[in-house]
Amino acid sequence: MSLPEEWEPRYPEFGGPTDRGRRSVERPRRRGRVRRFLKITGIVVVVAFVASILTTIAYNWITPPRTSYMFQAGEPIVYQYVSMDHISRNTIAAVIAHEDEELGTRVGAFTQADFQARAQAFVDGQPDPSGSTVPQQLVKNIFLWPSHDPLRKAIEAGLSEEFDFLLPKQRIAELYLNYAQFGPKLFGICAASWYYYNTPPSQLNPYESAQLMGVLPDPDNVRRAAGGGLDISAKGDPLAVDLINGAANVWVPRQLEGMGGWQAAVATIGIKDEASAHAATASGPDGCSTMPQSVSQRLKSEGAK
């Protein structure tokens, strides 16, 4: 007569449990590993979030001399920081008109409708229906890499919202103008104004400012003209030339006219004076009143006169 199943000995053979016994031992172990994994993951997420917030807040006061895009471009980098006080209002207005008209009036780094349209276009394999906003471009330049993969876009969306919430719009514009690429391994409006026009950024006129906006979409193919200025001759890259001429002669003037002029454009981010009002501090370390050494070295290496 055989015993009922529940009366069967748990360890019928000396030295090891039945399958049922092994399963009963393994379940708590697996649950313990899962709990530890979830706990560690939660800690990592919280630490990363706090670090991200603190880093963003720090950009209210610090302007690191290198960004992710600069590191990826490789040395020698041409760059020097300049305060917003010493950037031509023509240039600031041109950036707003060309890159992000709603920078100073929009709540958030982008609108929900724009985000949904871009996501849908990506899913459908269609071109991006709208360009990135200034906060989005800024965090991409500082932290990320040049691609259109979903991971980068997701990180960019989150970081840009942080920047938009924690930094004033004027500071966002200042950082953008300092970190934007204006030529091969050439970054920031301080270096760009001296390299192309042999003038401090406070003195850039409306046409020069608008020309520089045409550089932003394709900076690696832009070249300096032999005698100074941007090369928009037949020798220049055709696409770069079209972008520069389009920005200078059509897009920026038209958009600024629609916004009510450069004064109205810069007022959207809280600027109500001119760079000349800060002439007393132009000779300071953040004034970019003299040609940066990195610019003079680049010009010398190119044999420029």
Side-chain angles (χ1 to χ4, degrees):
M1 172 178 170
S2 61
L3 293 171
E5 184 178 347
E6 63 268 23
W7 292 354
E8 290 289 342
R10 187 166 181 175
Y11 300 96
E13 297 179 1
F14 181 76
T18 63
D19 288 343
R20 187 190 306 170
R22 282 194 294 269
R23 287 196 297 270
S24 66
V25 171
E26 286 297 325
R27 287 193 193 101
R29 290 177 181 172
R30 285 197 295 269
R31 286 196 293 268
R33 286 196 293 267
V34 170
R35 283 196 294 266
R36 285 194 296 273
F37 173 77
L38 292 176
K39 181 179 179 181
I40 292 171
T41 301
I43 292 172
V44 169
V45 169
V46 170
V47 170
F49 177 74
V50 172
S52 175
I53 293 293
L54 293 176
T55 300
T56 300
I57 292 172
Y59 273 90
N60 277 288
W61 306 284
I62 66 169
T63 310
R66 290 292 184 268
T67 66
S68 173
Y69 263 51
M70 293 181 192
F71 282 121
Q72 292 173 75
E75 298 291 343
I77 294 297
V78 182
Y79 169 78
Q80 182 170 307
Y81 171 74
V82 59
S83 165
M84 194 70 142
D85 289 344
H86 305 294
I87 300 175
S88 167
R89 279 34 182 166
N90 296 310
T91 308
I92 300 169
V95 164
I96 295 170
H98 191 268
E99 297 296 302
D100 191 353
E101 286 185 62
E102 298 179 346
L103 173 63
T105 57
R106 182 183 55 244
V107 176
F110 47 83
T111 65
Q112 189 64 29
D114 284 342
F115 181 78
Q116 290 175 344
R118 299 183 76 188
Q120 188 61 51
F122 180 82
V123 170
D124 296 339
Q126 299 297 320
D128 190 341
S130 62
S132 297
T133 64
V134 163
Q136 289 177 294
Q137 293 181 58
L138 175 60
V139 299
K140 178 190 69 176
N141 291 341
I142 295 175
F143 301 112
L144 304 176
W145 57 93
S147 78
H148 296 283
D149 61 87
L151 175 61
R152 200 218 75 183
K153 289 293 185 182
I155 297 173
E156 176 189 290
L159 289 175
S160 63
E161 284 292 326
E162 283 185 12
F163 266 65
D164 193 85
F165 181 72
L166 295 170
L167 273 65
K169 297 298 179 77
Q170 190 174 140
R171 177 59 173 165
I172 289 173
E174 180 180 51
L175 288 169
Y176 178 79
L177 279 163
N178 271 282
Y179 287 148
Q181 185 177 357
F182 287 98
K185 299 188 179 185
L186 182 103
F187 293 85
I189 195 64
C190 172
S193 62
W194 281 107
Y195 177 72
Y196 292 116
Y197 303 112
N198 193 33
T199 192
S202 61
Q203 299 299 315
L204 288 169
N205 63 40
Y207 183 73
E208 293 165 343
S209 298
Q211 273 195 316
L212 287 172
M213 297 307 103
V215 173
L216 295 172
D218 191 27
D220 285 322
N221 290 314
V222 172
R223 296 294 180 269
R224 180 181 182 273
L230 289 158
D231 186 358
I232 53 175
S233 70
K235 296 179 180 180
D237 179 86
L239 175 59
V241 171
D242 284 347
L243 289 169
I244 293 166
N245 285 333
N249 300 315
V250 180
W251 186 257
V252 172
R254 184 178 67 191
Q255 297 305 107
L256 284 178
E257 182 180 1
M259 296 182 73
W262 71 263
Q263 294 96 333
V266 300
T268 63
I269 60 170
I271 296 176
K272 298 180 181 180
D273 60 10
E274 298 192 35
S276 59
H278 305 277
T281 58
S283 60
D286 298 337
C288 192
S289 60
T290 58
M291 181 179 288
Q293 184 177 6
S294 59
V295 174
S296 61
Q297 289 173 342
R298 167 72 67 85
L299 291 173
K300 184 178 179 180
S301 71
E302 294 174 350
K305 297 180 180 179

